[in-house]
mmCIF file of all heavy atoms in Angstrom:
data_model
loop_
_atom_site.group_PDB
_atom_site.id
_atom_site.type_symbol
_atom_site.label_atom_id
_atom_site.label_comp_id
_atom_site.label_asym_id
_atom_site.label_seq_id
_atom_site.Cartn_x
_atom_site.Cartn_y
_atom_site.Cartn_z
ATOM 1 N N PRO A 1 0.795 -1.239 -0.008
ATOM 2 C CA PRO A 1 -0.007 0.010 -0.007
ATOM 3 C C PRO A 1 0.798 1.287 0.004
ATOM 4 O O PRO A 1 0.516 2.221 -0.750
ATOM 5 C CB PRO A 1 -0.850 -0.130 1.264
ATOM 6 C CG PRO A 1 -1.036 -1.586 1.424
ATOM 7 C CD PRO A 1 0.275 -2.211 0.989
ATOM 8 N N ASN A 2 1.896 1.387 0.789
ATOM 9 C CA ASN A 2 2.597 2.624 0.870
ATOM 10 C C ASN A 2 3.506 2.880 -0.343
ATOM 11 O O ASN A 2 4.152 3.946 -0.470
ATOM 12 C CB ASN A 2 3.443 2.725 2.148
ATOM 13 C CG ASN A 2 4.517 1.684 2.268
ATOM 14 O OD1 ASN A 2 4.603 0.812 1.408
ATOM 15 N ND2 ASN A 2 5.314 1.764 3.305
ATOM 16 N N LEU A 3 3.520 1.903 -1.255
ATOM 17 C CA LEU A 3 4.351 2.094 -2.460
ATOM 18 C C LEU A 3 3.533 2.499 -3.687
ATOM 19 O O LEU A 3 4.067 2.773 -4.742
ATOM 20 C CB LEU A 3 5.093 0.806 -2.784
ATOM 21 C CG LEU A 3 6.123 0.326 -1.777
ATOM 22 C CD1 LEU A 3 6.824 -0.916 -2.251
ATOM 23 C CD2 LEU A 3 7.134 1.421 -1.450
ATOM 24 N N ASP A 4 2.196 2.537 -3.561
ATOM 25 C CA ASP A 4 1.342 2.902 -4.665
ATOM 26 C C ASP A 4 1.645 2.075 -5.915
ATOM 27 O O ASP A 4 1.866 2.569 -7.006
ATOM 28 C CB ASP A 4 1.472 4.384 -4.992
ATOM 29 C CG ASP A 4 0.464 4.888 -6.008
ATOM 30 O OD1 ASP A 4 -0.477 4.130 -6.368
ATOM 31 O OD2 ASP A 4 0.626 6.070 -6.514
ATOM 32 N N ASP A 5 1.698 0.748 -5.714
ATOM 33 C CA ASP A 5 2.113 -0.162 -6.780
ATOM 34 C C ASP A 5 1.041 -1.231 -7.140
ATOM 35 O O ASP A 5 1.372 -2.249 -7.709
ATOM 36 C CB ASP A 5 3.442 -0.827 -6.476
ATOM 37 C CG ASP A 5 3.350 -1.748 -5.227
ATOM 38 O OD1 ASP A 5 2.371 -1.690 -4.522
ATOM 39 O OD2 ASP A 5 4.306 -2.522 -4.997
ATOM 40 N N GLY A 6 -0.208 -0.956 -6.831
ATOM 41 C CA GLY A 6 -1.255 -1.894 -7.155
ATOM 42 C C GLY A 6 -1.568 -1.863 -8.619
ATOM 43 O O GLY A 6 -1.291 -0.901 -9.348
ATOM 44 N N TYR A 7 -2.123 -2.968 -9.157
ATOM 45 C CA TYR A 7 -2.477 -3.068 -10.538
ATOM 46 C C TYR A 7 -3.494 -4.178 -10.769
ATOM 47 O O TYR A 7 -3.842 -4.935 -9.864
ATOM 48 C CB TYR A 7 -1.247 -3.293 -11.429
ATOM 49 C CG TYR A 7 -0.412 -4.536 -11.118
ATOM 50 C CD1 TYR A 7 -0.520 -5.670 -11.924
ATOM 51 C CD2 TYR A 7 0.448 -4.575 -10.059
ATOM 52 C CE1 TYR A 7 0.224 -6.814 -11.653
ATOM 53 C CE2 TYR A 7 1.237 -5.709 -9.745
ATOM 54 C CZ TYR A 7 1.095 -6.833 -10.584
ATOM 55 O OH TYR A 7 1.849 -7.938 -10.323
ATOM 56 N N ILE A 8 -4.051 -4.261 -12.002
ATOM 57 C CA ILE A 8 -5.101 -5.209 -12.344
ATOM 58 C C ILE A 8 -4.643 -6.054 -13.507
ATOM 59 O O ILE A 8 -4.119 -5.495 -14.512
ATOM 60 C CB ILE A 8 -6.430 -4.508 -12.651
ATOM 61 C CG1 ILE A 8 -6.867 -3.705 -11.399
ATOM 62 C CG2 ILE A 8 -7.508 -5.507 -13.048
ATOM 63 C CD1 ILE A 8 -8.136 -2.860 -11.621
ATOM 64 N N GLU A 9 -4.912 -7.361 -13.415
ATOM 65 C CA GLU A 9 -4.529 -8.280 -14.476
ATOM 66 C C GLU A 9 -5.719 -9.032 -15.046
ATOM 67 O O GLU A 9 -6.799 -9.103 -14.416
ATOM 68 C CB GLU A 9 -3.487 -9.297 -13.958
ATOM 69 C CG GLU A 9 -2.178 -8.658 -13.540
ATOM 70 C CD GLU A 9 -1.161 -9.774 -13.182
ATOM 71 O OE1 GLU A 9 -0.501 -10.316 -14.092
ATOM 72 O OE2 GLU A 9 -1.027 -10.035 -11.998
ATOM 73 N N ARG A 10 -5.472 -9.646 -16.223
ATOM 74 C CA ARG A 10 -6.433 -10.501 -16.854
ATOM 75 C C ARG A 10 -5.750 -11.698 -17.420
ATOM 76 O O ARG A 10 -4.619 -11.594 -17.875
ATOM 77 C CB ARG A 10 -7.154 -9.741 -18.002
ATOM 78 C CG ARG A 10 -8.284 -10.508 -18.661
ATOM 79 C CD ARG A 10 -8.809 -9.736 -19.918
ATOM 80 N NE ARG A 10 -7.903 -9.839 -21.037
ATOM 81 C CZ ARG A 10 -7.930 -9.101 -22.119
ATOM 82 N NH1 ARG A 10 -8.907 -8.159 -22.222
ATOM 83 N NH2 ARG A 10 -7.051 -9.243 -23.102
ATOM 84 N N SER A 11 -6.451 -12.850 -17.445
ATOM 85 C CA SER A 11 -5.941 -14.042 -18.101
ATOM 86 C C SER A 11 -7.073 -14.866 -18.609
ATOM 87 O O SER A 11 -8.225 -14.571 -18.350
ATOM 88 C CB SER A 11 -5.065 -14.886 -17.120
ATOM 89 O OG SER A 11 -5.878 -15.636 -16.232
ATOM 90 N N ASP A 12 -6.744 -15.947 -19.348
ATOM 91 C CA ASP A 12 -7.742 -16.949 -19.696
ATOM 92 C C ASP A 12 -8.119 -17.672 -18.429
ATOM 93 O O ASP A 12 -7.455 -17.604 -17.377
ATOM 94 C CB ASP A 12 -7.225 -17.932 -20.724
ATOM 95 C CG ASP A 12 -6.884 -17.237 -22.068
ATOM 96 O OD1 ASP A 12 -7.341 -16.102 -22.282
ATOM 97 O OD2 ASP A 12 -6.145 -17.875 -22.871
ATOM 98 N N LEU A 13 -9.204 -18.453 -18.484
ATOM 99 C CA LEU A 13 -9.705 -19.129 -17.304
ATOM 100 C C LEU A 13 -8.760 -20.163 -16.775
ATOM 101 O O LEU A 13 -8.823 -20.565 -15.598
ATOM 102 C CB LEU A 13 -11.057 -19.787 -17.586
ATOM 103 C CG LEU A 13 -12.189 -18.831 -17.973
ATOM 104 C CD1 LEU A 13 -13.447 -19.592 -18.312
ATOM 105 C CD2 LEU A 13 -12.445 -17.818 -16.887
ATOM 106 N N ASP A 14 -7.822 -20.662 -17.580
ATOM 107 C CA ASP A 14 -6.839 -21.613 -17.115
ATOM 108 C C ASP A 14 -5.533 -20.955 -16.735
ATOM 109 O O ASP A 14 -4.542 -21.628 -16.432
ATOM 110 C CB ASP A 14 -6.587 -22.701 -18.144
ATOM 111 C CG ASP A 14 -6.050 -22.105 -19.490
ATOM 112 O OD1 ASP A 14 -5.887 -20.876 -19.570
ATOM 113 O OD2 ASP A 14 -5.812 -22.906 -20.408
ATOM 114 N N GLY A 15 -5.513 -19.595 -16.708
ATOM 115 C CA GLY A 15 -4.281 -18.890 -16.354
ATOM 116 C C GLY A 15 -3.376 -18.522 -17.533
ATOM 117 O O GLY A 15 -2.404 -17.783 -17.326
ATOM 118 N N ALA A 16 -3.694 -18.975 -18.715
ATOM 119 C CA ALA A 16 -2.910 -18.658 -19.907
ATOM 120 C C ALA A 16 -3.179 -17.189 -20.368
ATOM 121 O O ALA A 16 -4.163 -16.605 -20.004
ATOM 122 C CB ALA A 16 -3.193 -19.631 -21.012
ATOM 123 N N ASN A 17 -2.254 -16.706 -21.182
ATOM 124 C CA ASN A 17 -2.413 -15.351 -21.815
ATOM 125 C C ASN A 17 -2.586 -14.270 -20.771
ATOM 126 O O ASN A 17 -3.452 -13.392 -20.899
ATOM 127 C CB ASN A 17 -3.536 -15.362 -22.803
ATOM 128 C CG ASN A 17 -3.304 -16.311 -23.991
ATOM 129 O OD1 ASN A 17 -2.191 -16.338 -24.526
ATOM 130 N ND2 ASN A 17 -4.286 -17.113 -24.311
ATOM 131 N N ARG A 18 -1.761 -14.311 -19.754
ATOM 132 C CA ARG A 18 -1.831 -13.332 -18.650
ATOM 133 C C ARG A 18 -1.289 -11.998 -19.122
ATOM 134 O O ARG A 18 -0.229 -11.939 -19.772
ATOM 135 C CB ARG A 18 -1.037 -13.871 -17.497
ATOM 136 C CG ARG A 18 -0.963 -12.992 -16.272
ATOM 137 C CD ARG A 18 -0.199 -13.708 -15.160
ATOM 138 N NE ARG A 18 -0.082 -12.917 -13.950
ATOM 139 C CZ ARG A 18 0.455 -13.399 -12.815
ATOM 140 N NH1 ARG A 18 0.906 -14.665 -12.806
ATOM 141 N NH2 ARG A 18 0.530 -12.644 -11.743
ATOM 142 N N LYS A 19 -1.992 -10.941 -18.715
ATOM 143 C CA LYS A 19 -1.492 -9.620 -19.109
ATOM 144 C C LYS A 19 -2.007 -8.546 -18.074
ATOM 145 O O LYS A 19 -3.063 -8.728 -17.447
ATOM 146 C CB LYS A 19 -1.981 -9.206 -20.528
ATOM 147 C CG LYS A 19 -3.461 -9.007 -20.634
ATOM 148 C CD LYS A 19 -3.846 -8.640 -22.079
ATOM 149 C CE LYS A 19 -3.278 -7.299 -22.470
ATOM 150 N NZ LYS A 19 -3.780 -6.829 -23.800
ATOM 151 N N THR A 20 -1.266 -7.513 -17.880
ATOM 152 C CA THR A 20 -1.673 -6.398 -17.046
ATOM 153 C C THR A 20 -2.493 -5.421 -17.890
ATOM 154 O O THR A 20 -2.070 -5.017 -18.949
ATOM 155 C CB THR A 20 -0.408 -5.627 -16.495
ATOM 156 O OG1 THR A 20 0.346 -6.546 -15.679
ATOM 157 C CG2 THR A 20 -0.839 -4.432 -15.716
ATOM 158 N N ILE A 21 -3.684 -5.062 -17.368
ATOM 159 C CA ILE A 21 -4.560 -4.167 -18.114
ATOM 160 C C ILE A 21 -4.634 -2.797 -17.432
ATOM 161 O O ILE A 21 -4.842 -1.784 -18.127
ATOM 162 C CB ILE A 21 -5.973 -4.760 -18.293
ATOM 163 C CG1 ILE A 21 -6.644 -5.010 -16.961
ATOM 164 C CG2 ILE A 21 -5.917 -6.018 -19.159
ATOM 165 C CD1 ILE A 21 -8.142 -5.229 -17.099
ATOM 166 N N ILE A 22 -4.455 -2.740 -16.099
ATOM 167 C CA ILE A 22 -4.374 -1.498 -15.383
ATOM 168 C C ILE A 22 -2.990 -1.471 -14.743
ATOM 169 O O ILE A 22 -2.748 -2.168 -13.764
ATOM 170 C CB ILE A 22 -5.456 -1.303 -14.332
ATOM 171 C CG1 ILE A 22 -6.846 -1.273 -14.998
ATOM 172 C CG2 ILE A 22 -5.250 -0.020 -13.547
ATOM 173 C CD1 ILE A 22 -7.146 -0.103 -15.846
ATOM 174 N N PRO A 23 -2.046 -0.687 -15.217
ATOM 175 C CA PRO A 23 -0.676 -0.768 -14.744
ATOM 176 C C PRO A 23 -0.481 -0.009 -13.444
ATOM 177 O O PRO A 23 -1.358 0.755 -12.954
ATOM 178 C CB PRO A 23 0.125 -0.105 -15.854
ATOM 179 C CG PRO A 23 -0.848 0.854 -16.469
ATOM 180 C CD PRO A 23 -2.186 0.209 -16.373
ATOM 181 N N LYS A 24 0.671 -0.255 -12.821
ATOM 182 C CA LYS A 24 1.026 0.481 -11.603
ATOM 183 C C LYS A 24 0.996 1.972 -11.902
ATOM 184 O O LYS A 24 1.423 2.418 -12.953
ATOM 185 C CB LYS A 24 2.414 0.031 -11.128
ATOM 186 C CG LYS A 24 2.530 -1.404 -10.708
ATOM 187 C CD LYS A 24 3.935 -1.784 -10.355
ATOM 188 C CE LYS A 24 4.066 -3.265 -10.017
ATOM 189 N NZ LYS A 24 5.431 -3.648 -9.647
ATOM 190 N N GLY A 25 0.550 2.751 -10.897
ATOM 191 C CA GLY A 25 0.483 4.182 -11.092
ATOM 192 C C GLY A 25 -0.890 4.686 -11.481
ATOM 193 O O GLY A 25 -1.136 5.912 -11.342
ATOM 194 N N VAL A 26 -1.726 3.824 -11.998
ATOM 195 C CA VAL A 26 -3.086 4.233 -12.375
ATOM 196 C C VAL A 26 -4.037 4.091 -11.196
ATOM 197 O O VAL A 26 -4.923 4.945 -10.950
ATOM 198 C CB VAL A 26 -3.573 3.418 -13.583
ATOM 199 C CG1 VAL A 26 -5.056 3.805 -13.935
ATOM 200 C CG2 VAL A 26 -2.673 3.717 -14.808
ATOM 201 N N THR A 27 -3.880 2.997 -10.463
ATOM 202 C CA THR A 27 -4.692 2.762 -9.276
ATOM 203 C C THR A 27 -3.724 2.446 -8.100
ATOM 204 O O THR A 27 -2.662 1.921 -8.325
ATOM 205 C CB THR A 27 -5.674 1.603 -9.521
ATOM 206 O OG1 THR A 27 -6.527 1.444 -8.337
ATOM 207 C CG2 THR A 27 -4.962 0.297 -9.768
ATOM 208 N N TYR A 28 -4.129 2.834 -6.914
ATOM 209 C CA TYR A 28 -3.229 2.764 -5.744
ATOM 210 C C TYR A 28 -3.267 1.355 -5.093
ATOM 211 O O TYR A 28 -2.310 0.615 -5.118
ATOM 212 C CB TYR A 28 -3.624 3.816 -4.747
ATOM 213 C CG TYR A 28 -2.518 4.328 -3.832
ATOM 214 C CD1 TYR A 28 -2.015 5.616 -3.931
ATOM 215 C CD2 TYR A 28 -2.050 3.524 -2.821
ATOM 216 C CE1 TYR A 28 -1.062 6.062 -3.065
ATOM 217 C CE2 TYR A 28 -1.034 3.931 -1.962
ATOM 218 C CZ TYR A 28 -0.552 5.227 -2.091
ATOM 219 O OH TYR A 28 0.431 5.651 -1.231
ATOM 220 N N THR A 29 -4.402 1.051 -4.511
ATOM 221 C CA THR A 29 -4.598 -0.260 -3.843
ATOM 222 C C THR A 29 -5.953 -0.841 -4.264
ATOM 223 O O THR A 29 -6.925 -0.753 -3.552
ATOM 224 C CB THR A 29 -4.607 -0.069 -2.281
ATOM 225 O OG1 THR A 29 -3.593 0.855 -1.896
ATOM 226 C CG2 THR A 29 -4.390 -1.415 -1.608
ATOM 227 N N PRO A 30 -6.047 -1.411 -5.435
ATOM 228 C CA PRO A 30 -7.334 -1.906 -5.939
ATOM 229 C C PRO A 30 -7.843 -3.080 -5.099
ATOM 230 O O PRO A 30 -7.134 -3.968 -4.781
ATOM 231 C CB PRO A 30 -7.020 -2.379 -7.376
ATOM 232 C CG PRO A 30 -5.557 -2.681 -7.390
ATOM 233 C CD PRO A 30 -4.941 -1.701 -6.402
ATOM 234 N N LYS A 31 -9.134 -3.014 -4.822
ATOM 235 C CA LYS A 31 -9.775 -4.011 -3.921
ATOM 236 C C LYS A 31 -10.789 -4.824 -4.723
ATOM 237 O O LYS A 31 -10.444 -5.410 -5.744
ATOM 238 C CB LYS A 31 -10.350 -3.305 -2.704
ATOM 239 C CG LYS A 31 -9.313 -2.611 -1.825
ATOM 240 C CD LYS A 31 -8.449 -3.562 -1.063
ATOM 241 C CE LYS A 31 -9.222 -4.132 0.115
ATOM 242 N NZ LYS A 31 -8.414 -5.105 0.883
ATOM 243 N N GLN A 32 -12.048 -4.838 -4.266
ATOM 244 C CA GLN A 32 -13.055 -5.628 -4.994
ATOM 245 C C GLN A 32 -13.266 -5.078 -6.369
ATOM 246 O O GLN A 32 -13.183 -3.822 -6.615
ATOM 247 C CB GLN A 32 -14.373 -5.636 -4.234
ATOM 248 C CG GLN A 32 -15.390 -6.623 -4.838
ATOM 249 C CD GLN A 32 -16.717 -6.709 -4.102
ATOM 250 O OE1 GLN A 32 -17.031 -5.833 -3.284
ATOM 251 N NE2 GLN A 32 -17.503 -7.706 -4.381
#
């Protein structure tokens, strides 16, 4: 939290094709 390094990811349902869609610096501590 104090580093402001939260981010959001997406993948296929089996975990393949993982990618960051909201990078660090856009959101602080993303929750639900």
Side-chain angles (χ1 to χ4, degrees):
N2 63 355
L3 297 183
D4 188 10
D5 63 348
Y7 58 103
I8 300 176
E9 294 186 83
R10 184 188 75 193
S11 78
D12 295 345
L13 298 178
D14 61 0
N17 297 314
R18 179 176 180 174
K19 66 180 296 186
T20 297
I21 61 165
I22 299 292
K24 298 177 182 180
V26 175
T27 185
Y28 205 111
T29 319
K31 297 288 285 180
Q32 190 180 14

